[in-house]
Amino acid sequence: MLTVNQTRPATGAGRISGVETLSLGTSWRDFSYVRVTTDEGLVGIGEITHPFRGAETCALARHMGERHLVGADPFDTEEIWLRMYQGDFLRGGDVGGIVLSGVDQALHDIQGKFLGVPVYRLIGGACRDAVPVYANGWYTGERTPERFAQLARDTVARGYSALKLDPFGAGLGELGRVERRRSIDLVAAVREAIGPEVELFVEGHARFVVHEAVRIATALEPYDIGWFEEPLPWTHVDRYPDVGARTTIPISGGEHFHNRYEYAALFEHDAVDIVQPDLSMVGGYTEMRKIAAIAETRSMVVAPHNSNSPFCTTATAHAAAALPNFRILETFDGLLEPYVFDALRGCLPIEDGFLPLPAAPGIGVELDDDVFAEYPPRGGFWNMFAPGWERRNR
């Protein structure tokens, strides 16, 4: 089982014959992709973006192709996943998790194209007619209430009915009294600017110790926050319930876990109310479905993390369409340069805060190599624990 099986008859999709990678430079981050081809001419694409290790994910994806993919039937999704995870010791770590995820996406893309159906039809069909999204990354610039309020109004004016922000600057561990008040004032200004009908989420980026997280959550309660995300580092997953028990705000998290085995501790401790698997980190469609099913048995909803490209937004829309306990999907699409959408042809448009159900076979996105060649990787890095990161100056 842990070697490529070429004795079973292949499906009409043929066998995998090639694996290549491409990367695109943007002002947000470098976006990377794996492209898998079969000897029947089918092509599948998956996202393997890492915030700052794109060269490593691309190199590993190519090596996975040589060792585990070429010669395999692209419909043998579970076996290929296990072969890479167990046979190549990709058991933990973001680079391996991202590559597993991208390959899994590409296999589903091939399957959908071969069968002539969107991927969501392969993973359970539609549970909804459209996929709600929320905007992140819009709060660029100085950390002042006036600036954040205006940016929030501008974002809502573009049709979004839900926003997320990290108001905490370079905070880590504990905040001083002045800095804590400043952070809460930013949230208060945004809530006043957007009114009570727009959903507002607060991102903690795993910054705080327990008592500081509780103090912040208590201060946020008057502003009707939809969730407080990652209030603690995940090295302290066992302390998450101590925060959740002392606030009425739902606690969310899970974006940094790469498979169901890593998620086990989160579920064991009932650490969150809302789980946030990332399709391009958690193991692709194969693994996200399993994690969502476990979450459903524990009365948890799923709000997928997505800080990657519009490809991942569209790919995740397929998963979101098919998950009965789906809540809302994150997107940074509104911040990107127009050429990104030229490079990724077929991405779903965001209309009035929703993505339509995908209609094209497979994931529905193709890569334009000429645009990729024009905009090579930049190698940028955001340190969200450094002063001034919110200005996003390289």
Side-chain angles (χ1 to χ4, degrees), residues 54-78:
E56 289 93 328
T57 59
C58 287
L60 182 59
R62 293 191 297 270
H63 289 316
M64 289 299 98
E66 295 168 3
R67 290 199 286 266
H68 299 293
L69 298 178
V70 172
D73 186 329
F75 272 81
D76 290 339
T77 316
E78 289 279 357

Side-chain angles (χ1 to χ4, degrees), residues 6-321:
Q6 295 185 322
T7 61
R8 291 193 299 266
T11 61
R15 295 191 181 274
I16 295 171
S17 57
V19 176
E20 59 182 331
T21 61
L22 298 89
S23 293
L24 182 74
T26 80
S27 59
W28 168 235
R29 59 181 45 166
D30 295 337
F31 296 137
S32 300
Y33 307 88
V34 60
R35 188 158 56 190
V36 178
T37 57
T38 77
D39 53 16
E40 291 295 327
L42 292 167
V43 179
I45 300 164
E47 181 147 352
I48 53 172
T49 293
H50 189 289
F52 49 91
R53 295 194 183 104
E56 289 93 328
T57 59
C58 287
L60 182 59
R62 293 191 297 270
H63 289 316
M64 289 299 98
E66 295 168 3
R67 290 199 286 266
H68 299 293
L69 298 178
V70 172
D73 186 329
F75 272 81
D76 290 339
T77 316
E78 289 279 357
E79 184 183 27
I80 291 171
W81 200 100
L82 180 61
R83 188 184 306 141
M84 291 190 294
Y85 177 79
Q86 192 76 25
D88 220 283
F89 301 99
L90 297 185
R91 300 193 291 275
D94 52 356
V95 172
I98 288 169
V99 170
L100 267 170
S101 302
V103 168
D104 188 84
Q105 293 170 38
L107 298 179
H108 281 83
D109 193 21
I110 289 172
Q111 294 167 22
K113 289 172 178 174
F114 175 71
L115 296 172
V117 297
V119 164
Y120 76 85
R121 291 293 183 195
L122 305 176
I123 56 175
C127 292
R128 54 195 47 84
D129 297 327
V131 175
V133 302
Y134 68 89
N136 196 355
W138 50 270
Y139 48 98
T140 303
E142 298 298 325
R143 290 175 64 233
T144 65
E146 297 78 14
R147 171 73 176 170
F148 274 41
Q150 185 57 57
L151 291 171
R153 282 191 290 266
D154 293 344
T155 305
V156 172
R158 295 202 304 270
Y160 291 97
S161 57
L163 311 179
K164 187 169 77 179
L165 78 158
D166 178 341
F168 302 112
L172 182 64
E174 294 179 296
L175 297 179
R177 298 181 69 86
V178 172
E179 188 57 38
R180 186 183 307 113
R181 186 69 259 164
R182 182 185 187 187
S183 299
I184 300 303
D185 286 347
L186 293 174
V187 177
V190 170
R191 170 54 76 198
E192 182 177 1
I194 63 178
E197 300 304 320
V198 176
E199 189 77 87
L200 183 60
F201 309 117
V202 173
E203 167 72 81
H205 277 131
R207 294 182 180 279
F208 303 115
V209 295
V210 172
H211 65 266
E212 184 65 27
V214 172
R215 182 177 286 176
I216 290 168
T218 301
L220 289 173
E221 287 187 353
Y223 305 108
D224 192 17
I225 303 304
W227 68 61
F228 186 11
E229 183 170 332
E230 291 197 319
L232 310 178
W234 286 108
T235 47
H236 304 308
V237 65
D238 58 320
R239 298 301 306 277
Y240 265 70
D242 296 336
V243 179
R246 295 159 72 181
T247 180
T248 61
I249 299 174
I251 303 299
S252 69
E255 67 186 70
H256 296 297
F257 298 140
H258 305 100
N259 50 62
R260 80 201 92 137
Y261 308 112
E262 292 186 17
Y263 258 93
L266 180 148
F267 289 126
E268 178 184 351
H269 293 288
D270 286 324
V272 300
D273 306 291
I274 301 159
V275 296
Q276 296 177 295
D278 187 316
L279 185 71
S280 287
M281 188 175 290
V282 79
Y285 297 107
T286 294
E287 204 70 355
M288 182 176 277
R289 294 180 66 200
K290 296 171 182 177
I291 290 163
I294 299 170
E296 191 174 13
T297 68
R298 306 185 77 91
S299 191
M300 298 172 178
V301 296
V302 179
H305 176 265
N306 169 38
S307 61
N308 289 341
S309 79
F311 178 96
C312 194
T313 302
T314 295
T316 310
H318 289 271

